[in-house]
Amino acid sequence: MKTIRIATRNSPLAMWQANYVKEQLLQAHQELIVDIVGMTTKGDQLLDRSLVTAGGKGLFLKELEVSLLEHKTDIAVHSMKDVPVDLPKGLEISVVCERADPRDAVVSNDYQNLYALPKGARVGTASLRRVAQLRNAFPALEFVELRGNVNTRLQKLDNGDYDAIILAAAGLIRLGLTDRIRQYISPELCLPAVGQGIVGIECRSDDDTTKSLLAPLHSKQSAIFLAAERAMNAALEGGCQVPVAGYAELESGKIKLRGMVGKTDGTQVLASTQFGSNISVGGAAELGQVVANELLKQGAGEILADVYRQPMALNTITKPIVLLTRQHRFLGNTAAILHRLDYQPTHVPTLKVDEVHDLAVKRVLEQLDTFTDVIFVSRNAVEFGLPLIAQYGGMPPIARVMAVGAETAKQLYRHGIDAHFPDHGQGAEALLKVDTMQDLRGSRVLIVRGELGLDWPAEEMRKRGAEVIEAKCYRQSLPSASSKQLHEILDQRKPIEGVFVHSQQSLIHLIELAGSESDQLLSSTLVAGSNKIAQRAKEFGWTGAIEVAESPSNKHMMIAFSR
């Protein structure tokens, strides 16, 4: 007799969702045994604690997904508004259930709706999406940060900490708390979060038996709506902690998708509504891209970049700053996690990357078919190099594709390319220690890289017998606005708790940006993406603590910071 083990958080709402899926499975398969495995994740434990007091190497591991990958459980149940676009390799959202009420709801003990709230009333929410839209509509209200699970938030309201709070209607309904709702907020006033009201079921990609058991729970319509919303969000590089909203529905036989990006001070709200006649998951995803492009044309990119640069708190409490120097598109949810853990993530990019168009690159790529090996040195090498390679006939079929680390390999995998990368260590040093890289006689190697970077790896390969050609397809420079951003922080002597640096070139640019005011910077904690970066920082006179991450990935950088 088959047993399905459901991984879930221990919060009341998460447990409701798990029990809902259990009931649906038992209705579809009466002979099935379904067990619920409750887990208290690190995220649950840290709702009111700072990162430095928590510690622990497993702090940011997704316990539910780890249990799936280790075959300790079979499925995990999630609210889709909380699920990131990229899932761990080997896992997938195989089923989405029928969508519940997607709207937000007002809960208050004294006021019937938002319109009845007096000037200066305190409204609690944890969502920048809601703040951007509702502050635009109700500029006289004060929006204050609110944390905790549903019951904790309601208790804070009952204690008098807030005049009203905003929660997802679906969560209140599922917990039997419909009587607490004073107002359902229409999508016209406040567009819902991407995936709001939809429960998704995650499982191992190769577990066909479990996927067949889950199939009766799948809602094709919800899957289409979700595809449109998540495609829009992915194209905008949004997440749960940025002011992005998306809501799809059927209207007059077409998919209608509305998207929103807004400033958290309420001064600007960008919106786009588009219709699609291809009512399928693929058609919905294309529609999501159309809406995202329209929002970007209106200036959404600038708004989101500003959100990542500025403190992400809803209140004015001074919090320790963590400088994030990586390009915005590679930050993932790092800023959102730091914000939730009582830090003030501040984005000061140290690299501006532009494509290089010159005759030398063209001549190299015209020889594509002659290479036995193609090495990508970074995620930028992937993003700028692959389109150029495609213009010249694509990756050589006989070539071995390699990446200097797991992050670069992951980026290649997203483009459908399975690359070799070192099992241990990181960077060119680790790649050159791989057995198959010791004798390179007869090899013709193409290195895809930027104009600034390391020259010695190519020289070392030549010493080992390879003919090495380099395609310098992108140019790194200092972002013009970063100097002002950094000096505003240094001039005000704001507390800097940490600085995340992912590459040596980024470190060089950061020191250059700081100039004569580098003392405060050099005394803070450096989170270095490699030993080479740490060594270079010491040469620059870094006096603060230096934590070296296992790799420059966002996850490993966060783990190093938590030590």
Side-chain angles (χ1 to χ4, degrees):
M1 191 174 291
K2 175 67 176 175
T3 298
I4 293 287
R5 298 160 297 173
I6 303 177
T8 181
R9 293 168 53 202
N10 276 321
S11 73
L13 185 54
M15 278 294 181
W16 182 96
Q17 292 173 166
N19 277 294
Y20 167 76
V21 170
K22 176 180 178 178
E23 291 170 8
Q24 296 296 308
L25 279 170
L26 291 176
Q27 284 183 21
H29 313 284
Q30 295 180 2
E31 75 287 356
L32 199 62
I33 296 175
V34 183
D35 295 330
I36 294 178
V37 182
M39 301 179 186
T40 300
T41 68
K42 290 292 184 182
D44 295 318
Q45 297 169 15
L46 292 173
L47 284 174
D48 296 302
R49 295 172 59 196
S50 69
L51 179 62
V52 289
T53 61
K57 188 171 181 179
L59 189 60
F60 297 101
L61 295 179
K62 298 178 179 179
E63 287 90 341
L64 306 186
E65 293 177 328
V66 169
S67 74
L68 290 176
L69 292 169
E70 293 180 349
H71 290 252
K72 293 178 180 177
T73 56
D74 303 296
I75 64 174
V77 180
H78 307 292
S79 173
M80 287 307 301
K81 70 181 179 64
D82 300 325
V83 176
V85 174
D86 294 323
L87 297 174
K89 188 176 180 180
L91 299 180
E92 65 180 54
I93 301 293
S94 62
V95 163
V96 294
C97 302
E98 185 177 352
R99 184 171 224 163
D101 195 323
R103 294 174 293 179
D104 291 315
V106 177
V107 180
S108 177
N109 294 325
D110 302 308
Y111 302 97
Q112 278 298 116
N113 52 49
L114 291 170
Y115 299 96
L117 289 167
K119 181 179 180 180
R122 291 168 58 84
V123 180
T125 179
S127 165
L128 296 182
R129 168 189 62 84
R130 293 173 183 143
V131 170
Q133 296 179 88
L134 295 178
R135 188 171 271 162
N136 178 266
F138 301 95
L141 300 181
E142 180 185 357
F143 292 89
V144 185
E145 193 167 20
L146 173 65
R147 296 185 181 189
N149 61 38
V150 172
N151 291 327
T152 300
R153 296 183 190 198
L154 290 171
Q155 187 60 55
K156 290 180 179 181
L157 172 71
D158 294 340
N159 291 343
D161 296 345
Y162 305 90
D163 296 298
I165 61 176
I166 314 292
L167 299 171
L172 291 166
I173 295 168
R174 286 165 176 163
L175 292 174
L177 297 169
T178 308
D179 61 320
R180 297 297 306 259
I181 297 174
R182 288 295 189 98
Q183 176 190 5
Y184 291 92
I185 305 175
S186 71
E188 287 70 30
L189 180 58
C190 187
L191 205 61
V194 167
Q196 187 158 315
I198 298 178
V199 170
I201 305 175
E202 186 177 20
C203 68
R204 291 181 292 276
S205 303
D206 60 359
D207 190 349
D208 293 333
T209 301
T210 296
K211 285 195 282 188
S212 67
L213 291 170
L214 292 173
L217 280 63
H218 188 59
S219 167
K220 291 182 179 179
Q221 185 178 85
S222 294
I224 289 169
F225 294 160
L226 188 65
E229 295 167 15
R230 283 170 68 84
M232 181 206 73
N233 200 34
L236 291 171
E237 298 182 5
C240 357
Q241 291 294 329
V242 293
V244 173
Y247 178 50
E249 57 189 328
L250 283 180
E251 185 174 299
S252 302
K254 294 183 177 181
I255 308 172
K256 176 184 177 182
L257 176 62
R258 285 179 275 179
M260 185 286 306
V261 174
K263 290 186 176 181
T264 54
D265 62 4
T267 58
Q268 187 179 16
V269 173
L270 306 179
S272 174
T273 301
Q274 302 291 332
F275 292 84
S277 56
N278 183 354
I279 304 178
S280 66
V281 168
E286 291 175 3
L287 181 62
Q289 184 71 56
V290 171
V291 171
N293 290 340
E294 178 60 32
L295 290 168
L296 289 169
K297 287 177 184 176
Q298 295 179 40
E302 291 77 7
I303 290 177
L304 293 175
D306 189 56
V307 169
Y308 281 113
R309 281 196 298 267
Q310 300 304 319
M312 296 184 70
L314 304 182
N315 51 34
T316 56
I317 297 173
T318 300
K319 299 180 181 181
I321 290 171
V322 176
L323 293 183
L324 303 176
T325 62
R326 188 169 230 183
Q327 292 165 262
H328 164 60
R329 62 200 178 104
F330 293 145
L331 276 177
N333 63 351
T334 304
I337 293 173
L338 287 168
H339 165 61
R340 186 172 182 180
L341 296 165
D342 286 329
Y343 287 92
Q344 183 175 302
T346 305
H347 189 213
V348 180
T350 51
L351 288 177
K352 180 177 180 289
V353 182
D354 298 294
E355 185 178 349
V356 170
H357 298 276
D358 64 21
L359 191 58
V361 173
K362 180 181 177 182
R363 286 173 177 166
V364 169
L365 295 178
E366 285 173 345
Q367 309 170 45
L368 265 179
D369 288 340
T370 67
F371 292 104
T372 59
D373 300 273
V374 180
I375 299 175
F376 292 85
V377 304
S378 67
R379 293 169 76 172
N380 281 317
V382 175
E383 292 306 298
F384 287 92
L386 278 185
L388 289 174
I389 288 173
Q391 291 177 27
Y392 288 87
M395 199 68 68
I398 62 167
R400 174 178 57 169
V401 181
M402 290 180 282
V404 296
E407 276 210 307
T408 305
K410 186 188 296 183
Q411 196 77 359
L412 284 163
Y413 186 78
R414 288 179 180 140
H415 291 276
I417 298 172
D418 198 1
H420 300 270
F421 64 96
D423 291 331
H424 304 287
Q426 54 193 296
E429 300 93 336
L431 185 64
L432 288 170
K433 289 178 182 178
V434 174
D435 289 344
T436 56
M437 294 294 289
Q438 301 312 302
D439 185 354
L440 296 175
R441 286 174 293 182
S443 299
R444 196 162 194 265
V445 179
L446 171 64
I447 298 179
V448 184
R449 53 167 288 188
E451 288 185 341
L452 298 176
L454 304 175
D455 295 322
W456 69 265
E459 290 303 319
E460 180 61 30
M461 290 180 209
R462 291 185 181 108
K463 290 178 183 177
R464 298 180 186 185
E467 180 184 358
V468 181
I469 309 294
E470 297 177 290
K472 299 179 181 180
C473 60
Y474 59 95
R475 179 177 294 112
Q476 304 111 304
S477 60
L478 273 170
S480 57
S482 293
S483 178
K484 181 182 178 182
Q485 295 166 19
L486 182 58
H487 282 282
E488 283 178 355
I489 296 168
L490 298 177
D491 290 344
Q492 296 174 35
R493 309 299 294 178
K494 293 182 177 180
I496 300 176
E497 187 72 26
V499 183
F500 283 36
V501 177
H502 298 256
S503 71
Q504 290 190 60
Q505 194 59 51
S506 181
L507 175 68
I508 293 168
H509 281 181
L510 181 64
I511 301 297
E512 185 178 337
L513 287 169
S516 60
E517 297 183 79
S518 61
D519 288 350
Q520 183 187 0
L521 187 70
L522 295 175
S523 63
S524 62
T525 296
L526 172 67
V527 183
S530 69
N531 284 310
K532 289 280 188 181
I533 297 170
Q535 180 181 336
R536 194 68 183 270
K538 291 175 183 177
E539 294 171 359
F540 278 121
W542 203 284
T543 58
I546 300 177
E547 298 289 349
V548 181
E550 184 180 331
S551 82
S553 72
N554 292 328
K555 182 180 82 172
H556 286 146
M557 296 288 277
M558 293 296 285
I559 289 172
F561 184 53
S562 72
R563 291 175 188 149

